[in-house]
Amino acid sequence: MQKIKILVWPKKNVYFCLALVILLILLITLISLQFRIMEDTFDATGKTIVIDPGHGGIDGGTHTDRLLEKDINLEVSKKLRNLLTDMGYQVILTRDEDIALDHLSDTGKNRHQRDLNARVQIINNSNAQLFLSIHVNCNFKNPSASGSIVFYGDRFSENKELAYAIQRALNAIEINGKKRTVHDPVLSNRYYLLNHSKIPGAIVEVAFISNTTECRMLEGSAFRDELAKAIAEGVSKYLIQLEKTKSN
């Protein structure tokens, strides 16, 4: 009959492992507490954020029979402005009504170009910490496409960090207990605002109007509230982490 060997650890090894686990738990708790304290004491006074509601006026953006992108962009942007203002940030909207901005610029070969130049001018003259351009996504060739996608450029190293902070917050949104499609932010050099801005920024495509479920949710104010809250959370965490990095 084969004897079963039982391995018994010396007590000092067991105590060492327990001490190591306890130390690790304390370290994680300390780091978490430090970050929460940073969140509680972070002073947003004097920090400015530009919010650009995409399209407007004659330019309705993408649309369905019932929804125009320009209207969704504006409402989400206003909700986001209110949240950030409550946090103590100064907020500049490139537009706060249903208008195009081409009349604010005299440079550009056409109305669309003048509109984009006007938005860039507002961003570059703002002395802000960052800008966000709010949009609605669309892919009628792939109606199953869903979720929020944040686009960023490589003009500033901070762009990537900002995009990831916002993307993580948007990915965490749950609808009826279910998470939406999870995306990574996308590096892109095709956006005029990202290529010509003098401050860090991101393009936030909040949802797909071409997706039946998301289109229906976009019709209601509750989903727009959730989108604005997530973006505000991402922006705040990015700025807190940026401040923490500078202080170290």
Side-chain angles (χ1 to χ4, degrees), residues 1-14:
M1 187 176 190
Q2 188 176 5
K3 292 182 179 180
I4 300 174
K5 293 182 179 180
I6 300 175
L7 182 63
V8 180
W9 272 23
K11 283 188 177 180
K12 62 179 182 179
N13 288 355
V14 175

Side-chain angles (χ1 to χ4, degrees), residues 16-17 38 40 55 84 108 129 141-142 145 158 163 178 214 242:
F16 175 78
C17 289
M38 184 74 179
D40 292 338
H55 307 283
L84 292 172
Q129 273 62 52
K141 292 183 179 179
N142 181 18
E158 295 92 340
K178 295 181 180 180
E214 291 201 336
L242 185 65

Side-chain angles (χ1 to χ4, degrees), residues 192-210:
Y192 190 84
L193 264 60
L194 295 177
N195 292 334
H196 291 82
S197 64
K198 295 180 180 179
I199 59 173
I203 308 292
V204 184
E205 301 274 2
V206 296
F208 280 81
I209 201 172
S210 50

Side-chain angles (χ1 to χ4, degrees), residues 29-41:
T29 303
L30 182 62
I31 292 172
S32 177
L33 179 62
Q34 183 181 9
F35 191 76
R36 284 200 297 270
I37 291 172
M38 184 74 179
E39 282 185 309
D40 292 338
T41 59

Side-chain angles (χ1 to χ4, degrees), residues 167-191:
Q167 187 72 67
R168 281 192 292 268
L170 287 165
N171 285 344
I173 293 177
E174 292 188 356
I175 306 299
N176 298 324
K178 295 181 180 180
K179 282 194 174 183
R180 302 165 67 216
T181 303
V182 172
H183 292 280
D184 286 328
V186 177
L187 173 63
S188 175
N189 292 315
R190 68 184 181 90
Y191 288 98

